[in-house]
Amino acid sequence: MQRFYEVMFIVRPDTQDEDVDKLIAGFEATVTNGGGTVRSTEKLGRRKLAYTVRKFNEGNYILLTIDADGALVHELERRLRVSEPVIKFITVRMDEEQKRIDKIKAIRATRKKLSAQPVAAPAEGTEAHAAEATPASA
């Protein structure tokens, strides 16, 4: 069963661009050879890390969006783990996230919006009562 995943990984900042391209091509080949499809590949560039990882404070971020089954994702994560230039990675299953977002939107669509409700005019008895409570200046 093909599912939609996002795989974000961080490559060492001292890695050359040609080596990063070869690394990405290798991961894409792993996905396609395993029967999955690569939707997109984005190089997000060099960014500062939130904390030091393997003595690095910066890293090159790459985002792969893929359609694959669980065994293929497991193999991709194994290759990411043993790859020397990759210092950190995370895989997120996005089809469940999309289902959750669609469910929330459906619930919100059924609720009555207070801003769309017409404003009710105050009852006449309350206006007269308010006028009696304020003293008239002479």
Side-chain angles (χ1 to χ4, degrees):
M1 180 177 176
Q2 297 281 323
R3 294 199 168 131
F4 175 48
Y5 293 92
E6 284 186 350
V7 181
M8 170 81 70
F9 59 96
I10 306 171
V11 180
R12 297 167 49 133
D14 57 354
T15 307
Q16 299 295 322
D17 287 337
E18 300 84 28
D19 295 335
V20 173
D21 292 337
K22 288 179 187 175
L23 190 68
I24 292 170
F27 292 140
E28 288 175 345
T30 301
V31 172
T32 55
N33 293 340
T37 58
V38 178
R39 287 189 182 187
S40 68
T41 303
E42 293 181 53
K43 286 180 162 181
L44 302 176
R46 180 181 238 165
R47 296 182 181 205
K48 189 174 189 291
L49 300 175
Y51 53 90
T52 303
V53 178
R54 295 191 193 171
K55 300 182 182 177
F56 293 107
N57 293 320
E58 290 183 336
N60 292 320
Y61 283 68
I62 292 105
L63 176 67
L64 288 175
T65 53
I66 60 171
D67 289 317
D69 60 349
L72 181 58
V73 171
H74 185 68
E75 173 63 18
L76 181 63
E77 286 182 341
R78 186 192 69 77
R79 289 180 187 242
L80 284 163
R81 198 171 291 115
V82 299
S83 179
E84 183 63 33
V86 176
I87 57 175
K88 203 85 165 154
F89 70 90
I90 187 168
T91 304
V92 179
R93 184 172 152 196
M94 295 304 292
D95 57 338
E96 286 295 318
E97 185 69 18
Q98 191 62 41
K99 283 182 189 176
R100 189 182 67 81
I101 290 170
D102 291 342
K103 184 178 177 182
I104 290 171
K105 284 182 182 178
I107 291 170
R108 287 182 181 166
T110 60
R111 291 183 186 161
K112 292 182 181 178
K113 295 183 179 176
L114 295 177
S115 61
Q117 299 280 335
V119 178
E124 292 181 25
T126 57
E127 288 178 7
H129 196 291
E132 292 174 5
T134 56
S137 58

